[in-house]
Amino acid sequence: MPPVYPHRAARGTAPALRQWQQEALDLYVERSPRDFLAVATPGAGKTTFALRVAKMLIDSGEITRLYVVAPTEHLKQQWADAAARIGLAIDPNFRNSDGRHGREFIGVAVTYAQVANKPALHRNKTEAGRTLVVLDEIHHGGDALSWGEGIREAFTSATRRLALTGTPFRSDTAPIPFVDYIEDADGVRRSRADYSYGYGPALKDRVVRPVVFMAYSGNMRWRTSSGEEMEAQLGAGATKDITAQAWRTALNPDGEWIPSVLAAAHKRLLKVRDRVPDAGGLVIASDHETARAYAAQLDALTGQGTTVVLSDDSEASQRIEDFSGDASRLWMVAVRMVSEGVDVPRLCVGVYATSTSTPLFFAQAVGRFVRRRNANEVASVFLPSVPVLMGLANELEEERDHALDVPRSAQDGETEEEQLLEAAEREQRASAELERGSFAALESRAAFDKVLFDGDEFGLGGAVGSEEEMDFLGIPGLLEPEQVSTLLKQHQADQLRRRPGGEPGQGHGEELDVVDHRRLKRLRSELNRSVSAYAAKTGMHQGAVHNRLREACGGPAVGQATKHQLETRVRTLQNWFVGRR
């Protein structure tokens, strides 16, 4: 440690802090603040930074008691284990009914709910010593009115408070205790972090893994509560109701979409394990019933029992620990419990099989896969190809502050469609019991859509199991970010060359022609008329015809297809009319 620090690094900590941790610690020592907010991307090492601060303050005698407040029971155990490694004993098993913790502990780890349940007890414990309070994932201080009031009452008298978060702040305007809000030029109060370290800088610094998003679309068919049968392509331009219902159909474990995507993700995991032998996978499900169903499908796929983690299971924390420590275990399925803060470093492949679409939840979910252990590890996350998730995946590097005084849509930059979609999802969850037996997912088929990485999109689409899909499933599990981009571009160029006749201006040393938007419009109209006629002839839904054309010819949805791709689909459909395939 440099001379500015009065104490040596604690035994058991990293011999050298990461650059961001060192900078944040320098700032903390310089300011010696009562309150300090550090915002750092999941996997960057917030726990190490906080415990270094705690050790420094305790060794100097300024602090005599340590309080850690975390969102879940499992995270309490995780904090206690990390603190023990540097010689700090905190009790994660403390209960409000205990009143006092044991003399062998310097403090406790508790949950936000635990504090809110008996804030006066925790205020008395805080005032009984010179206390440092670490508020892990501080945005949870706004989860419920009682939680915010509870931590404010309990810890207002603390000697020091260190707040941590790894996500964009809350999507609502509930103020968070002990966070400063500064009014900007527009009169909007926004949260002010003392130190911020986002995913983008962390990726450049090789602190976190690069994340490759594998997006899957496909044709969905369902029966509405009114008895009407509907059909649509997942992710194609549609109303918020159709998008939400197609998404719901895709996630139904009785269809073909989920088994196809799980099989693709398992292929990817096996490829990653060629170079990362202990790599594991995580499926994030919407509810307990579907989680168990997904696990049964993985059991059949892998030939081994899948670890299932449910919030109402008293053994959930132990299951997570067992999975984390057993390199032979391939897959874990969880609902929400593993979406935030839980540290399972060997997770390299994920399946986002939930309809939750808030920026906060998405960032925390993806955060489970970005923790870097060794050089060059790449994370892969499979997800439904719906607009709101595509936007979140492309904006992973964006940094946000928590804003008060403004509507949620203005602070999050959400489109009207995304707001309506979220409202539809909330309504759907609230009335799930009433709708049970009325809404029916009839059929779902998966199709590979595209790959998203570093704000760019790659791939021309293709059927599940196609060469186009396998190009991307087979990328090595150990690559630097620049190598990921290079390889994805190469695969896309190869796919263009494999298309019948090649793509104009691609791979032949030719100059790209300027796109003729009028010609594109005419081709789209011609294709749509032909699809309509073919649907009338065969009795198929138009969406199904478009989906099968994409499977046969490749490429994105009609609105994003090139002139060559549209012409190919028109010719293919003409052949179908006369019985040629």
Side-chain angles (χ1 to χ4, degrees):
M1 300 285 286
V4 67
Y5 300 101
H7 310 287
R8 297 175 58 190
R11 185 175 65 84
T13 60
L17 291 175
R18 290 170 174 164
Q19 182 176 341
W20 83 264
Q21 294 166 332
Q22 187 77 55
E23 290 175 354
L25 189 57
D26 287 345
L27 191 61
Y28 191 91
V29 169
E30 177 187 338
R31 292 183 180 177
S32 191
R34 186 177 188 189
D35 284 294
F36 191 91
L37 171 61
V39 177
T41 190
K46 293 184 294 296
T47 301
T48 297
F49 163 69
L51 289 175
R52 182 65 67 89
V53 169
K55 184 67 174 176
M56 181 182 69
L57 294 175
I58 289 168
D59 285 351
S60 70
E62 181 173 350
I63 292 300
T64 59
R65 178 165 293 185
L66 175 60
Y67 238 97
V68 175
V69 188
T72 67
E73 291 288 329
H74 182 77
L75 285 177
K76 292 183 350 182
Q77 305 285 338
Q78 207 164 275
W79 270 97
D81 290 342
R85 287 193 289 270
I86 63 168
L88 298 178
I90 58 176
D91 184 4
N93 301 311
F94 174 81
R95 295 291 179 259
N96 287 350
S97 58
D98 296 338
R100 294 185 299 177
H101 60 265
R103 293 179 179 274
E104 65 269 35
F105 296 105
I106 194 172
V108 296
V110 296
T111 63
Y112 285 92
Q114 197 174 339
V115 174
N117 187 48
K118 212 165 185 180
L121 166 70
H122 298 281
R123 181 188 68 233
N124 292 336
K125 286 179 64 61
T126 301
E127 292 174 348
R130 296 187 298 276
T131 303
L132 166 66
V133 180
V134 177
L135 296 155
D136 188 24
E137 307 297 355
I138 181 63
H139 53 271
H140 284 286
D143 273 358
L145 183 61
S146 62
W147 286 25
E149 291 175 346
I151 62 174
R152 192 182 301 279
E153 178 182 347
F155 304 125
T156 292
S157 57
T159 304
R160 299 276 189 115
R161 289 178 293 261
L162 176 57
L164 309 170
T165 185
T167 70
F169 262 115
R170 305 181 60 80
S171 355
D172 57 26
T173 57
I176 301 168
F178 313 125
V179 170
D180 288 336
Y181 291 89
I182 307 297
E183 189 172 303
D184 64 16
D186 298 323
V188 176
R189 290 174 295 163
R190 297 187 182 276
S191 62
R192 180 187 62 80
D194 295 282
Y195 189 89
S196 294
Y197 187 63
Y199 176 77
L203 185 62
K204 292 182 178 67
D205 293 344
R206 306 293 196 266
V207 167
V208 294
R209 295 171 179 151
V211 182
V212 174
F213 292 98
M214 312 287 292
Y216 281 74
S217 60
N219 202 63
M220 307 295 141
R221 191 165 62 87
W222 65 93
R223 184 184 300 113
T224 67
S225 56
S226 62
E228 182 183 5
E229 288 197 11
M230 302 286 291
E231 189 168 2
Q233 175 138 337
L234 185 66
T239 66
K240 45 94 178 178
D241 286 333
I242 290 177
T243 299
Q245 291 167 12
W247 191 349
R248 183 180 181 184
T249 301
L251 299 180
N252 186 294
D254 295 328
E256 296 180 23
W257 192 91
I258 274 288
S260 297
V261 172
L262 291 179
H266 185 57
K267 290 176 185 175
R268 177 68 189 140
L269 179 60
L270 295 180
K271 178 64 178 180
V272 173
R273 285 174 71 95
D274 287 344
R275 303 287 296 276
V276 186
D278 68 339
L282 168 66
V283 180
I284 299 176
S286 293
D287 55 56
H288 292 190
E289 184 180 349
T290 55
R292 293 188 183 97
Y294 297 164
Q297 294 178 3
L298 286 168
D299 290 350
L301 186 66
T302 64
Q304 69 170 222
T306 300
T307 299
V308 181
V309 180
L310 304 176
S311 55
D312 60 357
D313 183 356
S314 60
E315 301 296 321
S317 291
Q318 189 60 51
R319 290 178 186 272
I320 295 171
E321 288 186 15
D322 290 346
F323 179 85
S324 182
D326 186 350
S328 69
R329 310 302 298 174
L330 296 172
W331 284 97
M332 175 165 58
V333 179
V335 181
R336 296 181 70 96
M337 200 172 167
V338 190
S339 66
E340 181 173 68
V342 173
D343 183 12
V344 185
R346 69 186 191 89
L347 288 177
C348 293
V349 178
V351 179
Y352 193 88
T354 174
S355 58
T356 304
S357 59
T358 63
L360 187 150
F361 184 86
F362 185 84
Q364 283 286 6
V366 174
R368 298 316 96 219
F369 306 97
V370 302
R371 187 175 298 278
R372 184 184 177 107
R373 302 175 302 169
N374 304 311
N376 310 335
E377 288 182 348
V378 177
S380 305
V381 176
F382 291 70
L383 71 174
S385 185
V386 293
V388 62
L389 295 185
M390 297 300 95
L392 292 173
N394 277 321
E395 296 165 4
L396 187 62
E397 297 182 21
E398 268 193 15
E399 295 181 15
R400 293 182 177 89
D401 293 320
H402 184 211
L404 302 180
D405 315 314
V406 291
R408 179 174 57 173
S409 59
Q411 80 174 53
D412 281 352
E414 291 180 322
T415 66
E416 181 178 0
E417 181 176 338
E418 289 165 359
Q419 297 169 50
L420 292 171
L421 176 56
E422 287 189 20
E425 290 167 1
R426 288 194 298 272
E427 181 180 345
Q428 171 190 313
R429 288 192 291 269
S431 61
E433 290 302 318
L434 293 175
E435 288 189 346
R436 193 175 298 277
S438 55
F439 175 93
L442 302 178
E443 181 185 11
S444 64
R445 299 174 62 202
F448 171 65
D449 187 12
K450 57 192 169 188
V451 172
L452 296 87
F453 179 71
D454 196 22
D456 289 330
E457 298 182 0
F458 305 88
L460 306 177
V464 170
S466 66
E467 189 176 3
E468 287 76 11
E469 180 195 34
M470 294 308 299
D471 278 347
F472 295 105
L473 291 182
I475 65 174
L478 291 176
L479 290 171
E480 289 288 356
E482 296 82 1
Q483 294 173 317
V484 175
S485 290
T486 299
L487 192 56
L488 292 176
K489 290 173 183 175
Q490 182 60 53
H491 283 321
Q492 176 151 298
D494 291 343
Q495 290 183 6
L496 284 167
R497 283 192 289 271
R498 287 201 300 264
R499 290 285 181 232
E503 181 76 1
Q506 300 290 328
H508 301 289
E510 302 174 17
E511 260 185 52
L512 260 171
D513 294 332
V514 176
V515 175
D516 184 345
H517 62 88
R518 294 180 181 82
R519 172 63 176 156
L520 280 178
K521 184 177 180 180
R522 288 195 296 271
L523 280 170
R524 289 172 189 153
S525 297
E526 181 182 355
L527 177 60
N528 287 331
R529 286 195 302 270
S530 299
V531 165
S532 178
Y534 189 77
K537 175 185 176 182
T538 62
M540 293 175 61
H541 190 279
Q542 292 184 31
V545 179
H546 276 295
N547 186 57
R548 293 186 182 179
L549 278 171
R550 284 187 69 185
E551 290 180 358
C553 306
V558 172
Q560 290 77 48
T562 65
K563 168 177 168 289
H564 175 73
Q565 290 164 343
L566 292 171
E567 289 172 340
T568 301
R569 292 181 201 182
V570 170
R571 287 195 302 269
T572 300
L573 198 54
Q574 288 170 348
N575 287 334
W576 290 0
F577 265 107
V578 296
R580 291 201 299 265
R581 294 283 170 172

